[in-house]
Structures are given as C-alpha cells and as structure tokens.
Amino acid sequence: MLGLAGVPLGARFRFLDPSPQACAGALGELLVAPLDDLDGVRELVAGADVCTYEWEGVPAASAREAARHVPVRPSGASLAVAQDRVAEKERCRALGIPTAAFAPVAGRAELDDAASRLGLPAVLKTRRGGYDGKGQQVVRTTADLDAAWGALRGTPLVLEGFVPFERELSILAVRAQDGTTACWPVAENLHHEGVLRVTRAPAPHLDAGLRDRAERLVRALLDDLDHVGVACVELFEVDGELLANELAPRVHNSGHWTIEGAATSQFENHVRAVVGWPIGPTDARGPAAMVNCIGGMPDPTTVLAIPGTHLHDYGKAPRLGRKVGHVTVTAPDDDELERRLAPVLDLAGPPG
Ligand code: AMP
C-alpha cells in the first residue's frame, strides 16, 4: 500500500521480503531474502535515496546496516522503543503519558512478585515480537500463573495490569523532517481474539478533551523520538482517561480507512515524510469504517454493490486467521455509515 501510494508521486521502490509471493512485487523490484540477511539489506538500499519499513519486527542489525548506506526513516530510535514493550511504557511514563501498570519479568519468582504488586487479573506478554494478541496470556488468578509462565517462558516478559477498558482507540500521526506533525482523527477499534476487525473513524462520540489528549500524547512521543514518517499509538479509553498500550512506528491497520476516508492517506503521507516532501492534510472526508477480511475475501460483486464500499484485495493466499484484504465504507453521515456497514460486516466481519 506504500507502493500504491508512492508510485503516482513518482517514487520508485525496491522491496525486501522473505517470500517470493510478496504482493509488493507487483509495484517494484522485489528482493527475496530473510530480513536479517545483511547482503540482502545492502542490495536493497544500493542506489536508493531513503529506506523505510512497514513492520517494527525488522531486525535492529538490518536497520543499522541500511543506515550505514542511506537514511533510514523512521530512525533506529523509534524502532528500538517500539520493539520492547518495557522501553515503550517507560518512554510514555517519562513523557507523562499514562499506561497500564507494568513490571518486567525475567524469572518465575519475579512473576509471583509482579502479580502480587500489580494485582490480578493481569496480562503476561513477551517484551518483544508479540502482535495481534500473540505472545500474551491473561492471568486471572494465581492458579493461572504456572500455565502463563509455561507458555511464554524463555524470553523476557512483562506483566501488565488488566485494563477494564470501555473501548480501544488509536491515533495516527505523521511527522515531517522539519518536525511538522499532523494527526488523523482518533479511530475506534474493535478486536476479536486479539486481532483488529473493525475500525470506525472519526471515533463516534469521542469527548473533545480526550481527542486533544490523544493528539498531545502522540505529538510528544514523535517529537521525543525525532520520528519521521507515520506512527500509531494504540489506546485504551477507561474512566474518562486514555492509557497508551502500544506504539507502532509505521503505517497501521487502524489507518487503512484513510485511503478513501481522509484528505491524504497514511501511506501517501508516510512516503512524503520519509522522502522529505511536505505532508498533506489529514482531515476526514466524512465518517468511514474499515473491515478486515480475515482468512479469505468476500465476493466483490456483493460487497461493491453496497454504496460507499471500496475493496482492497492484497493478493495473498487465503489462510485461517490471515489478513488478506479490507473493505472501506464511507458515508455522508453516521447513520448512513452504520446502514452501509451492517451488510459488509455480514460478508467480511468478525464471526458472531
Ligand atoms: P497488544 O498486542 O498489546 O496490542 O494486545 C492485543 C489486544 O489484547 C489489545 O488490543 C487488547 O484488546 C488486549 N489487551 C492487551 N493488553 C491488555 C491489557 N493490559 N488489559 C486489557 N486488555 C489488553
């Protein structure tokens, strides 16, 4: 999607992906190599003006190698903080951004200690590499501690207090090289089994004070990291407060609605920012929703017959639980959005 946004701007792409089937191959030169293959990284950046990434799991050593040859944006600082849940939360706390209570856990005794300090329920997570609810276990009572430890041991962990949130939100922002920052409207996200299913943007019925707080916190983080490009902060709304859950130093699934729903999409603005061009306005064009297609694509004839729908098929092989596309729905007002969204949810939405 970065390629789809960048090609019309005149940008040309070379992609590095471990899979020869990577759908980006349709939009530029595709190098097939593991992401930790430093020869592959050198070939990737040869002759390039800039290197970027759309996954925070990119190995730090690969980002460092790329940075020896071309500017890497966002920089290694954003990557390092976003790759470690403890570093992420410490950075938030240092900037006065509230998070769930947390404690790093390296051993079994430390887990007991953390559980008694934080209280239960809590969520045990791997510090690194977890996504879409993978690498985490909910601990409801002390009887669950052994099972959670058994499932995740062997890698540094963090125990987080369980947040009884009212809803999940996210805020996306783009920061240009001169520090100019623009925020897209806060989005509301519905997850099922840890995986994002539906985003509504702008988030319905959001208190203006909370919206301003979300904007302030993402700006503070991006300024602190001297971040260049798009980033997303996932938030919990609880008791009239926002807690930061995760920082994604990249374009984000909860920003896919911006392709049709905003004046400039997250993908276009990311390309503009990392290349060094001025960023575009981020206002919503109206209410929008995005539904992930998970495991397979719905029938285009049926989906596209619903007014205001746009289908994005990533060209990925269908596989249980795999995000293979999304549908965006736009409408002139909130009621009409819900009317259009309902049949899309039946066709492509979460089970139940
Ligand atoms: P994460 O990988 O941290 O984004 O977590 C995936 C999903 O698990 C989140 O979107 C929440 O729905 C849920 N979750 C994660 N952490 C917590 C927490 N501390 N309290 C309650 N729910 C959580």
Side-chain angles (χ1 to χ4, degrees):
M1 286 185 272
L2 286 168
L4 279 171
V7 167
L9 294 172
R12 294 295 173 259
F13 293 84
R14 188 181 297 137
F15 302 99
L16 179 65
D17 197 291
S19 165
Q21 273 91 44
C23 45
L27 297 160
E29 188 186 338
L30 176 65
L31 292 178
V32 180
L35 299 184
D36 59 0
D37 177 339
L38 298 188
D39 288 333
V41 171
R42 281 187 285 273
E43 206 180 328
L44 174 73
V45 299
D49 296 310
V50 62
C51 176
T52 190
Y53 47 88
E54 50 92 75
W55 186 50
E56 66 273 28
V58 167
S62 297
R64 266 197 308 275
E65 181 59 29
R68 289 182 53 230
H69 306 279
V70 295
V72 174
R73 301 185 182 118
S75 76
S78 295
L79 207 52
V81 167
Q83 282 181 341
D84 179 358
R85 290 184 188 275
V86 171
E88 200 169 65
K89 286 192 169 53
E90 281 171 349
R91 188 64 71 109
C92 284
R93 291 285 180 96
L95 294 168
I97 300 168
T99 70
F102 68 100
V105 170
R108 182 65 184 83
E110 228 178 337
L111 176 58
D112 282 338
D113 198 43
S116 60
R117 266 189 300 129
L118 264 51
L120 296 179
V123 188
L124 187 63
K125 299 182 179 179
T126 56
R127 279 177 66 160
R128 294 171 170 276
Y131 68 101
D132 280 356
K134 294 181 179 66
Q136 55 180 272
Q137 297 275 319
V138 176
V139 180
R140 289 190 175 79
T141 70
T142 49
D144 297 334
L145 285 167
D146 276 336
W149 174 253
L152 299 179
R153 60 182 293 179
T155 180
L157 303 173
V158 57
L159 189 71
E160 291 180 17
F162 188 88
V163 180
F165 55 80
E166 281 123 44
R167 59 175 169 172
E168 293 186 74
L169 303 170
S170 59
I171 181 150
L172 277 108
V174 57
R175 188 170 179 277
Q177 287 174 34
D178 65 0
T180 311
T181 301
C183 298
W184 281 272
V186 173
E188 175 190 288
N189 301 316
L190 199 81
H191 292 79
H192 179 77
E193 292 170 350
V195 181
L196 178 64
R197 303 293 169 138
V198 184
T199 294
R200 283 181 177 82
H205 315 295
L206 181 66
D207 175 82
L210 283 190
R211 186 199 59 209
D212 293 349
R213 222 171 294 166
E215 289 196 6
R216 278 201 303 276
L217 73 84
V218 71
R219 283 172 188 276
L221 266 170
L222 299 198
D223 284 344
D224 185 56
L225 293 166
D226 197 14
H227 184 92
V228 174
V230 168
C232 172
V233 183
E234 292 181 38
L235 302 160
F236 296 131
E237 181 178 352
V238 58
D239 292 336
E241 181 60 275
L242 291 178
L243 304 186
N245 177 37
E246 254 193 321
L247 166 72
R250 55 167 169 85
V251 289
H252 191 260
N253 195 176
S254 70
H256 287 7
W257 66 273
T258 60
I259 297 173
E260 293 89 6
T264 315
S265 80
Q266 60 166 346
F267 301 105
E268 178 173 339
N269 259 342
H270 185 78
V271 172
R272 287 163 67 153
V274 301
V275 168
W277 293 329
I279 54 176
T282 46
D283 317 67
R285 296 180 188 277
M290 188 277 323
V291 181
N292 271 331
C293 305
I294 295 176
M297 290 301 295
D299 173 24
T301 314
T302 321
V303 171
L304 295 173
I306 302 163
T309 54
H310 298 267
L311 188 65
H312 298 259
D313 183 333
Y314 308 157
K316 292 184 173 179
R319 197 197 305 141
L320 193 71
R322 187 181 204 193
K323 290 174 184 166
V324 292
H326 72 268
V327 181
T328 308
V329 188
T330 59
D333 58 59
D334 289 340
D335 290 345
E336 184 57 22
L337 183 72
E338 293 306 319
R339 267 194 294 277
R340 293 176 177 185
L341 182 57
V344 175
L345 291 173
D346 288 340
L347 293 164

